[in-house]
Amino acid sequence: MSKRAYNFNAGPAALPLEVLERAQAEFVDFRETGMSIMEMSHRGAVYESVHNEAQERLLSLLGNPSGYKVLFIQGGATTQFAMIPLNFLSEGKVGSYVMTGSWADKAFKEAKIAGGAHVAATSEDKKFLAIPDLGSIKPADNAAYLHITSNETIEGTQYSEFPDTGSLPLIADMSSDILSRAFDVNKFGLIYAGAQKNLGPSGVTVVIAKEELIAESPSNIPTILRYSTHYKNNSLYNTPPSYSIYMVNQVLKWIEEQGGLAGVEAKNRDKAGLLYNTIDGSGGFYRGVAELGSRSIMNVTFRMESEELEKKFIKASEQEGFVGLKGHRSVGGLRASIYNAVPYESIKALTDFMSHFQKTNG
């Protein structure tokens, strides 16, 4: 096998090598059925056991909270932006949104189309380079829910703790930091995450929701867009993205082997610490973008003194086997996405490269 790339892509992103190798070993003949799992009926017992196992394993990693159900839905987090207001905004209600950057803005715009959206707090005055102070979050009086984006991949910001919304359902887009650290699921009414950053390959979106929220949905929205449809059919109403779900199950197994969320979080904080220390210790040659208290441990954004130098950095990094260090086209700069599956060795190689680049270009 050729040398593995140092993969810092923002998504689809790095998967654990052990997971890829296990999937490779089972690819053609899954559990001695003479078929790949991709070829099986989603109504068959073999596939269904994997499907149920993935749901159970996810809840187990989250401490088996009672009254929650895991759904597997297609369409990415983008479909969830629309499903949430369609399902939860009854007459006279609005969705309250904390505006933290590009992804929060997309969710907010869908709610505006679907019925009504309200800004509960914003960090626009800080160019979205910080998470608003939790005390500044004020949901509307007629809010059906409060929506947050737990980690903004483009700006590189992340909530260090979550708001307490009392009886108002808290809904979170956790696409880019789900299972990167321990947190209390019971604070949330619904969590959703596209799989392609921390959970597996693209193709499936995981929803973890309080059953009371999703048991009944409005009958005036399309059947496939009702949470109740997926809830009542155990996410098997139509053909699920079966291979993606199988891969999610493999990744969850791998997270268990890392010591669960506590083990993964310790590794993630070590990785992020190494990279931020290199940036902060460069005497201004590299400059962190997000404000200190809001820095993400998943997406590290940074700049250099000129775009020319940044282009030179990208070109030199690609020649050394680094992939995905260019910032999002909407903001420019540099970004290293260091999700669960990106090994410490890749971060160490990156920081060594950064130090060398500074010596030769500083």
Side-chain angles (χ1 to χ4, degrees):
M1 184 174 82
S2 59
K3 183 172 170 260
R4 297 269 294 159
Y6 296 121
N7 185 353
F8 293 98
N9 278 329
L15 283 160
L17 180 59
E18 300 95 313
V19 166
L20 293 170
E21 287 171 343
R22 284 174 205 169
Q24 183 182 41
E26 295 183 327
F27 189 73
V28 175
D29 184 5
F30 183 66
R31 294 184 185 169
E32 298 178 348
T33 56
M35 292 179 283
S36 170
I37 193 160
M38 285 199 288
E39 303 174 284
M40 287 177 192
S41 166
H42 62 292
R43 305 281 174 216
V46 176
Y47 171 72
E48 213 164 328
S49 71
V50 171
H51 187 93
N52 294 336
E53 196 178 294
Q55 292 171 331
E56 286 158 20
R57 190 164 255 133
L58 179 53
L59 288 175
S60 162
L61 281 165
L62 294 169
N64 286 316
S66 70
Y68 284 80
K69 176 73 177 166
V70 172
L71 308 176
F72 297 126
I73 304 179
Q74 300 182 57
T78 309
T79 296
Q80 295 305 305
F81 296 163
M83 274 181 77
I84 287 159
L86 286 172
N87 279 266
F88 301 135
L89 293 188
S90 54
E91 192 65 40
K93 292 281 194 180
V94 295
S96 275
Y97 285 74
V98 181
M99 306 302 280
T100 46
S102 311
W103 294 108
D105 185 56
K106 285 193 162 88
F108 175 77
K109 282 175 176 157
E110 289 297 300
K112 263 172 102 168
I113 295 167
H118 159 263
V119 176
T122 180
S123 55
E124 190 173 8
D125 58 324
K126 295 182 172 175
K127 298 192 173 122
F128 298 122
L129 298 179
I131 296 295
D133 179 65
L134 295 191
S136 73
I137 299 172
K138 301 279 184 280
D141 292 340
N142 61 337
Y145 56 83
L146 177 73
H147 179 284
I148 64 169
T149 306
S150 62
N151 183 86
E152 288 280 3
T153 52
I154 293 177
E155 290 79 11
T157 60
Q158 184 180 37
Y159 284 76
S160 56
E161 52 186 318
F162 297 114
D164 187 349
T165 54
S167 60
L168 183 69
L170 178 61
I171 294 180
D173 175 359
M174 287 196 179
S175 293
S176 50
D177 68 344
I178 193 166
L179 302 190
S180 65
R181 53 184 173 161
F183 69 97
D184 181 7
V185 184
N186 295 293
K187 279 193 153 185
F188 297 87
L190 185 148
I191 291 163
Y192 63 98
Q196 66 274 11
K197 299 170 190 289
N198 253 358
L199 289 174
S202 60
V204 63
T205 300
V206 171
V207 173
I208 306 155
K210 276 189 176 163
E211 293 182 72
E212 66 204 48
L213 272 185
I214 57 171
E216 296 301 332
S217 297
S219 56
N220 63 341
I221 62 173
T223 309
I224 196 72
L225 295 178
R226 296 176 203 164
Y227 285 117
S228 59
T229 301
H230 302 281
Y231 173 66
K232 286 168 182 168
N233 293 280
N234 192 31
S235 302
L236 293 164
Y237 173 74
N238 64 334
T239 309
S242 51
Y243 195 75
S244 294
I245 293 166
Y246 155 79
M247 286 294 284
V248 166
N249 190 39
Q250 292 290 346
V251 170
L252 295 173
K253 211 179 282 186
W254 176 83
I255 291 172
E256 287 174 347
E257 291 160 4
Q258 308 309 303
L261 294 196
V264 163
E265 177 171 0
K267 288 180 177 150
N268 286 334
R269 294 202 182 279
D270 281 350
K271 292 183 326 195
L274 177 61
L275 187 44
Y276 281 122
N277 287 341
T278 302
I279 292 166
D280 296 340
S282 70
F285 186 79
Y286 301 107
R287 196 175 72 252
V289 173
E291 287 193 11
L292 278 175
S294 300
R295 282 177 164 182
S296 169
I297 61 168
M298 293 282 99
N299 308 98
V300 177
T301 49
F302 57 105
R303 302 285 323 221
M304 297 166 77
E305 67 182 25
S306 70
E307 284 187 24
E308 284 66 44
L309 196 55
E310 289 171 355
K311 281 178 186 153
K312 191 177 179 186
F313 178 91
I314 294 292
K315 200 172 171 192
S317 72
E318 285 168 352
Q319 287 165 353
E320 295 296 323
F322 295 93
V323 176
L325 290 171
K326 204 174 184 173
H328 190 270
R329 61 185 181 278
S330 64
V331 293
L334 303 159
R335 170 178 63 178
S337 294
I338 54 173
Y339 303 122
N340 289 353
V342 178
Y344 186 87
E345 296 69 43
S346 291
I347 320 294
K348 182 73 175 76
L350 174 59
T351 55
D352 289 347
F353 168 78
M354 287 167 71
S355 301
H356 178 72
F357 186 84
Q358 181 175 355
K359 278 198 192 95
T360 51
N361 294 274

